[in-house]
Amino acid sequence: RWLALDRPRAERFWPQADIVFCTAESYVPAGRARVVVTLHDAAYFEANAHRQDFAFRKQQWKWTLLYRKLVRKADLFHTVSAFSAERLAHYFPEMAGRLRVVPNGVAPHFFTPGSAAGRAYLASIGLAERPFVLVPGGLHYRKNAELILAACPELLRRCPGLVVAVSSHAGAEYRARARSLGPAVQLLGFVPDDALHALYSAAQVVWFPSRYEGFGMPVLEAMACGAPVVASDASSIPEIAGGAAVLVPPASPAAHVEALCALLTDARACGQLREAGRERAGLFSWADSAAQLKHCMDTLL
């Protein structure tokens, strides 16, 4: 009803509201109040971000209707990177003058020592004493699962005793392939915050070869925990990494294997990346992001 009829308006529920903030890709119609919408990326309009199947086409159609409505009705658009702003403006030029970039922040606990619960988790999965590479994005098309699975055999051959630990969800078609690589590839599923902190902190390298990101939170979270990062040089990742990660083309398994092996055998390079990464992650705080976003909203009042 909101999308089709612009009714009921926000003032029916919040008559005092000056601003209605849609904190993700959504729309709430308003009368007197101004409407601000967060758009994280333009992934569903890109050719290479998602597999081009029926589910993609359906979501693309839905988002096209939504974004066309937002172009007509929203007073301000917030997005999280200059890359996302450029891509949104490319597909919806009418947005350009209303787009504001305010980046995400890093939760403070990622800068602190890990917890006892996190250490217990590492012991429970057998990674407390073993060298491992962490893949924090799961196994999906957008996260470049094909490249990860293609690179793992050579990576494990060149680095005997190494484990590749994959956190977050893995698509069904990728789970079977990952398990066929043997116990050196561990699928951890979703993990709680304490466990994720411990994984970032203990990993020899964090590997994030994503095809497409509007921001790339795992890159900064890993850096805050002091992990060296190998990531793809695509989409927003170079902007967010800021020179504090090793960036590799997202279509070359061999290049990713070379980058990972180089770090796994070079303690000095890892130390330099740990220091640079912590400094880079320290530039992104939620307090600063909130202040910037409030300033953007204040301009509407």
Side-chain angles (χ1 to χ4, degrees):
R1 287 177 61 191
W2 277 343
L3 190 62
L5 304 177
D6 289 318
R7 294 287 191 278
R9 291 182 175 179
E11 287 83 356
R12 173 174 168 180
F13 309 102
W14 310 289
Q16 304 296 323
D18 294 311
I19 289 176
V20 177
F21 180 27
C22 302
T23 58
E25 291 77 1
S26 57
Y27 170 61
V28 178
R32 180 188 61 84
R34 313 301 291 274
V35 177
V36 178
V37 184
T38 291
L39 305 175
H40 289 94
D41 57 51
Y44 277 103
F45 305 104
E46 304 279 22
N48 63 339
H50 293 279
R51 182 178 281 120
Q52 307 282 304
D53 55 12
F54 175 77
F56 168 82
R57 297 297 180 192
K58 179 181 177 182
Q59 188 66 23
Q60 185 183 59
W61 176 76
K62 290 168 62 177
W63 277 33
T64 298
L65 294 179
L66 170 63
Y67 280 43
R68 286 176 179 169
K69 172 71 79 168
L70 291 172
V71 163
R72 297 195 304 271
K73 298 292 185 176
D75 297 286
L76 197 71
F77 295 100
H78 158 236
T79 193
V80 293
S81 65
F83 169 79
S84 284
E86 187 276 326
R87 299 310 294 160
L88 287 164
H90 171 77
Y91 289 105
F92 300 94
E94 305 96 322
M95 283 187 187
R98 287 172 280 165
L99 277 164
R100 303 291 183 270
V101 176
V102 177
N104 291 323
V106 182
H109 71 84
F110 284 113
F111 293 94
T112 64
S115 67
R119 292 188 290 275
Y121 171 78
L122 288 179
S124 73
I125 60 173
L127 292 181
E129 304 296 334
R130 292 193 66 180
F132 68 95
V133 168
L134 175 66
V135 179
L139 295 176
H140 301 276
Y141 180 87
R142 186 165 68 88
K143 302 299 183 181
N144 219 350
E146 294 286 348
L147 178 139
I148 293 166
L149 295 173
C152 273
E154 179 64 11
L155 175 64
L156 296 172
R157 185 191 69 80
R158 292 178 55 174
C159 301
L162 184 70
V163 171
V164 176
V166 182
S167 68
S168 195
H169 178 68
E173 70 273 33
Y174 299 121
R175 284 199 298 270
R177 289 175 57 187
R179 287 170 179 149
S180 73
L181 297 176
V185 177
Q186 292 192 19
L187 301 181
L188 306 177
F190 289 104
V191 299
D193 282 351
D194 283 340
L196 183 60
H197 187 298
L199 287 165
Y200 281 138
S201 300
Q204 271 60 48
V205 180
V206 170
W207 185 20
F208 193 64
S210 181
R211 292 172 178 268
Y212 190 97
E213 296 293 322
F215 188 79
M217 284 295 296
V219 172
L220 287 183
E221 290 172 349
M223 289 177 172
C225 289
V229 174
V230 171
S232 63
D233 62 1
S235 62
S236 65
I237 294 175
E239 175 186 346
I240 303 308
V246 176
L247 303 181
V248 188
S252 175
H256 281 266
V257 170
E258 287 299 326
L260 290 165
C261 290
L263 283 182
L264 289 167
T265 57
D266 190 340
R268 182 171 177 272
C270 282
Q272 291 172 339
L273 282 177
R274 291 178 195 277
E275 183 177 344
R278 279 188 176 275
E279 183 177 349
R280 178 64 179 171
L283 300 177
F284 296 81
S285 79
W286 284 117
D288 287 345
S289 295
Q292 291 178 50
L293 189 55
K294 180 181 183 300
H295 173 76
C296 291
M297 291 185 183
D298 285 345
T299 65
L300 296 177
L301 301 177

